[in-house]
């Protein structure tokens, strides 16, 4: 079935029955016998196939109670003359409305002046029930929900055409340049940047929360060794799930906003520790204890690499983390909000969000972007490599964005960081970026494809000592703050998120074969 046919609303031809007809001079006895034989509940009286009248079961009952002789009475005397008719192409909804208005139960279907069928209210109601109904007010959303506003938020926004995004009322790039990750975390959770006293008390609150719960510690080795290959985000997903259980997270529907925020602070503080512990266990190393003297970002680097980081690297990673804390209604954030809308616990929402982030079209691109730079090898090979990849139907990882149709401000920030940190890789990436943008503009005109956050993310993280498999988990270490801010906002003013879909499969109800073959 093509798309057009699938979307077509049902019409009378889809449900009408073949007509049972009579001639005007046929007797009522003949008509009754024919109706009974055919199992019909009406007969259309015709002249040369044109409808003259209709006789229904109701007319037969009225006739019998009159006491007249059936064999001697012509059908034309008891039929309803000039019946209302419908065309085979009439839409079901319109016909139902017409029958309901006039109180008819049956109506002849006429095409080009000839009776071609009969349709009853029962037939119509049957299909009306099983066909997708179009309810007043139901809206058609574009594929991928592009451009659809589904909530009000005070957390932040992305202005794709302007290449600008903000957290609460502040430019996110400016926050990355001027503030610590803890300040931005506070901003997202409490609505404003902290004053010095708030900064101190927030640091005192979160630093002890970085420590792994005792009940979780012994479970991590089994998670790490569960698969032949170690996929850190998959391991993280499982670790967050058991952590939520160990910490006794309860459905957000059953707890206060303050309790939910406590859960959120706890999980955000703990996520870098979980990531570091899983990674080190897989290397055959003991997880490291968090260092309360270090900032959130520096402590993260310490727990993964095992070295107290160079301050430039710690600051670069902190700026990367700030720049990726939140980004509008991206897929993982939306996922977290959908799960929260069911009243589930915060752990369930974060596990779902990690699952969404793991997809290469969302958060799984930075190591692929670095692989691409490896594969290109030399700047002069870039053009041919990109042309080949696009000709083969491939996507250039780290380029394109659903919302940005101009330069992604995060990629501009990260390019600056990469250049500041220096190294051959950064210089190469800058050169290749230029070529990719030019080639994509030629091969995909009008699509406005530019480097996204993931293109330079890998370059920056690699320079700061993070291995490629830790790129997306590092993204999760910051984005969990954004997810949690959204979870808190969703829970505070909740309505279950439950859209609709249009059924486009074969029309039901198809009888279930019995007995089974
Ligand atoms: N390379 C080549 N062509 C591309 C790319 C790309 N990276 N991105 C989009 N296009 C093309 C598509 O082929 C399509 O072309 P067509 O019109 O000829 O079919 C057109 O641009 C539009 O593509 P869509 O898939 O409709 O764009 P959408 O907005 O749905 O997708 C996405 C955005 C998923 C990010 C896409 O650009 C992509 O796949 N990029 C590569 C993966 C990537 O970098 N992911 C990380 C995103 S950033 C983040 O999530 C944190």
């Amino acid at each position: 079935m093509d798309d057009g046919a699938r979307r077509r609303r049902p019409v009378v031809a889809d449900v009408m029955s073949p007509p049972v007809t009579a001639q005007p001079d046929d007797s009522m006895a003949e008509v009754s016998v024919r109706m009974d034989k055919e199992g019909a509940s009406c007969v259309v009286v015709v002249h040369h196939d044109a409808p003259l009248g209709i006789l229904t079961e109701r007319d037969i009952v009225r006739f019998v109670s009159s006491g007249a002789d059936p064999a001697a009475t012509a059908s034309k005397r008891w039929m309803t003359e000039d019946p209302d008719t419908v065309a085979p192409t009439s839409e079901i909804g319109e016909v139902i409305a017409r029958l309901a208005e006039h109180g008819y139960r049956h109506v002849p279907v006429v095409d080009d002046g000839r009776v071609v069928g009969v349709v009853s209210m029962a037939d119509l109601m049957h299909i009306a029930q099983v066909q997708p109904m179009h309810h007043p007010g139901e809206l058609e959303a574009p594929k991928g929900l592009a451009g659809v506003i589904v909530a009000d938020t005070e957390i932040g926004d992305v202005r794709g055409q302007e290449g600008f995004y903000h957290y609460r009322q502040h430019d996110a790039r400016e926050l990355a340049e001027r503030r610590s990750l803890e300040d931005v975390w506070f901003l997202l959770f409490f609505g404003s940047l902290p004053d010095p006293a708030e900064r101190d008390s927030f640091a005192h609150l979160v630093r002890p929360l970085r420590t792994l719960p005792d009940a979780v510690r012994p479970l991590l080795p089994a998670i790490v060794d569960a698969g032949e290959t170690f996929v850190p985000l998959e391991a993280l997903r499982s670790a967050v799930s058991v952590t939520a259980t160990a910490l006794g997270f309860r459905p957000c529907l059953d707890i206060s906003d303050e309790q939910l925020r406590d859960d959120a602070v706890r999980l955000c503080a703990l996520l870098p520790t979980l990531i570091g512990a899983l990674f080190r266990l897989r290397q055959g190393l003991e997880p490291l204890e968090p260092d309360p003297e270090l900032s959130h970002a520096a402590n993260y680097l310490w727990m993964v690499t095992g070295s107290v980081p160079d301050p430039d690297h710690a600051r670069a990673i902190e700026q990367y983390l700030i720049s990726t804390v939140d980004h509008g209604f991206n897929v993982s954030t939306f996922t977290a909000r959908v799960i929260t809308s069911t009243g589930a616990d915060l752990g369930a929402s974060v596990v779902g969000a990690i699952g969404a982030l793991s997809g290469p079209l969302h958060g799984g691109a930075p190591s692929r972007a670095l692989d691409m730079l490896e594969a290109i090898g030399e700047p002069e090979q870039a053009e041919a490599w990109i042309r080949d990849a696009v000709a083969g139907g491939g996507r250039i990882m780290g380029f394109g964005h659903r919302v940005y149709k101009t330069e992604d401000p995060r990629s501009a920030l990260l390019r600056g960081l990469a250049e500041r940190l220096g190294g051959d890789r950064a210089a190469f990436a800058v050169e290749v970026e230029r070529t990719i943008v030019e080639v994509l503009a030629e091969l995909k005109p009008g699509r406005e494809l530019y480097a996204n956050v993931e293109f330079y993310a890998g370059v920056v993280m690699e320079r700061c000592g993070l291995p490629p498999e830790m790129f997306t988990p590092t993204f999760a270490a910051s984005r969990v703050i954004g997810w949690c801010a959204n979870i808190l906002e969703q829970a505070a003013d909740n309505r279950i998120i439950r859209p609709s879909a249009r059924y486009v499969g074969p029309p039901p109800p198809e009888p279930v074969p019995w007995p089974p073959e």
Side-chain angles (χ1 to χ4, degrees):
M1 211 189 294
D2 66 26
D3 250 18
R6 281 180 170 173
R7 282 164 194 225
R8 174 168 75 68
R9 292 193 186 189
V11 293
V12 164
D14 297 328
V15 285
M16 68 186 190
S17 317
V20 175
T21 56
Q23 298 300 312
D25 291 324
D26 288 350
S27 71
M28 289 300 280
E30 286 170 301
V31 168
S32 309
V33 168
R34 199 168 309 152
M35 279 173 81
D36 186 39
K37 203 166 135 209
E38 303 284 344
S41 40
C42 74
V43 162
V44 187
V45 181
V46 294
H47 178 63
H48 297 310
D49 289 339
L52 287 183
I54 188 165
L55 268 168
T56 66
E57 285 167 330
R58 241 192 311 195
D59 298 323
I60 303 290
V61 171
R62 279 196 300 119
F63 170 73
V64 170
S65 57
S66 75
D69 179 1
T73 310
S75 60
K76 65 183 174 200
R77 295 206 27 220
W78 282 85
M79 70 184 185
T80 304
E81 283 181 48
D82 289 331
D84 211 352
T85 62
V86 294
T89 50
S90 304
E91 278 197 5
I92 299 292
E94 288 168 22
V95 178
I96 290 177
R98 233 160 94 192
L99 265 67
E101 189 188 343
H102 296 288
Y104 306 145
R105 297 227 190 121
H106 304 86
V107 63
V109 184
V110 174
D111 190 20
D112 203 17
R114 296 174 57 241
V115 175
V116 292
V118 170
V119 71
S120 71
M121 192 58 142
D123 298 335
L124 294 171
M125 288 314 290
H126 182 60
I127 193 157
Q129 272 168 19
V130 298
Q131 290 290 337
M133 292 295 286
H134 291 262
H135 301 291
E138 203 169 50
L139 300 173
E140 185 92 11
K143 203 166 186 184
L145 297 181
V148 176
I149 293 173
V150 296
D152 288 341
T153 182
E154 294 183 4
I155 294 167
D157 194 20
V158 180
R159 298 202 207 148
Q161 295 300 336
E162 298 156 53
F164 171 77
Y165 73 120
H166 57 103
Y167 301 154
R168 305 259 181 216
Q169 64 275 41
H170 300 291
D171 178 345
R173 267 184 76 172
E174 210 179 318
L175 287 166
E177 275 153 12
R178 300 193 173 167
R179 290 299 184 126
S180 69
L181 179 58
E182 285 85 338
D183 277 5
V184 173
W185 180 358
F186 188 95
L187 169 70
L188 258 65
F189 274 36
F190 298 96
S192 60
L193 284 165
D195 61 27
E198 287 169 331
R199 181 174 303 119
D200 264 10
S201 70
F202 192 57
H204 275 96
L205 170 72
V206 299
R207 291 187 181 195
L209 300 181
R210 293 173 183 164
T211 307
L212 283 177
D214 288 341
V216 173
R217 220 174 267 271
L219 303 174
L220 297 184
I223 291 174
V224 163
D225 293 330
E228 268 185 30
T229 47
F230 174 61
V231 183
L233 268 200
E234 288 177 13
L236 183 63
R237 208 169 62 196
S238 308
V240 169
S241 190
V242 295
T243 301
T245 306
L247 296 176
F249 286 0
R250 290 170 51 213
C252 64
L253 201 64
D254 299 340
I255 58 178
S256 66
D257 291 353
E258 290 69 33
Q259 277 175 294
L260 187 63
R261 194 161 59 203
D262 289 349
D263 290 350
V265 171
R266 182 77 168 105
L267 196 60
C268 292
L270 200 50
L271 212 77
T273 313
L274 286 172
I275 296 169
L278 293 165
F279 175 70
R280 289 182 68 83
L281 283 166
R282 186 65 186 194
Q283 311 295 308
L285 301 167
E286 270 305 300
L288 292 168
E289 289 307 314
D291 183 341
E293 298 304 315
L294 295 176
S295 69
H296 199 66
N299 177 59
Y300 172 62
L301 276 179
W302 149 250
M303 285 189 302
V304 174
T305 65
S307 321
V308 174
D310 170 298
D312 282 348
H313 290 170
R315 179 61 185 148
I317 287 297
E318 179 166 56
Q319 289 180 291
Y320 165 72
L321 295 173
I322 294 172
S323 72
T324 51
V325 153
D326 188 54
H327 205 242
F329 251 56
N330 61 86
V331 188
S332 51
T333 297
F334 184 47
T335 304
R337 288 188 77 130
V338 169
I339 297 173
T340 302
S341 81
T342 68
D345 74 281
L346 183 119
S349 304
V350 171
V351 168
I354 294 172
L357 185 70
S358 68
L361 297 187
H362 185 11
S367 61
R368 290 173 190 240
L370 214 56
D371 291 346
M372 179 179 72
L373 290 177
E374 290 278 356
I376 292 172
E378 300 295 330
E380 48 281 5
Q381 285 169 14
E383 183 171 341
W385 197 97
I386 303 306
R387 283 183 189 281
D388 269 10
V390 175
R395 289 190 174 221
I396 309 304
M397 286 296 148
F399 284 79
H401 197 273
R402 169 59 65 81
V403 182
Y404 291 122
K405 299 304 169 198
T406 180
E407 187 175 55
D408 181 337
R410 301 167 302 173
S411 114
L413 178 94
L414 294 174
R415 185 195 304 115
L417 283 182
E419 288 178 315
R420 190 178 85 207
L421 294 167
D424 292 345
R425 183 82 92 186
F428 180 56
V430 172
E431 213 171 327
V432 170
E433 181 199 359
R434 221 173 290 128
T435 310
I436 296 177
V437 171
E438 281 169 16
V439 175
L440 285 177
E442 183 201 318
L443 300 180
K444 295 274 175 184
R447 280 22 160 252
E448 307 294 353
L449 300 170
Y450 300 93
N452 61 44
V453 62
E454 309 240 320
F455 184 64
Y456 284 103
V459 177
V460 168
M461 287 191 261
E462 183 191 49
R463 184 75 179 162
C464 295
L466 289 170
E469 66 264 41
M470 296 310 282
F471 293 171
T472 309
T474 304
F475 189 170
S478 68
R479 186 54 65 85
V480 69
I481 296 172
W483 293 333
C484 286
N486 275 277
I487 290 168
L488 298 177
E489 190 177 67
Q490 180 70 39
D493 181 19
N494 188 46
R495 183 165 187 213
I496 193 163
I497 299 174
R498 203 299 192 187
S500 308
R502 185 196 300 109
Y503 175 75
V504 293
E510 195 174 295
V512 178
W514 185 258
E517 286 167 15

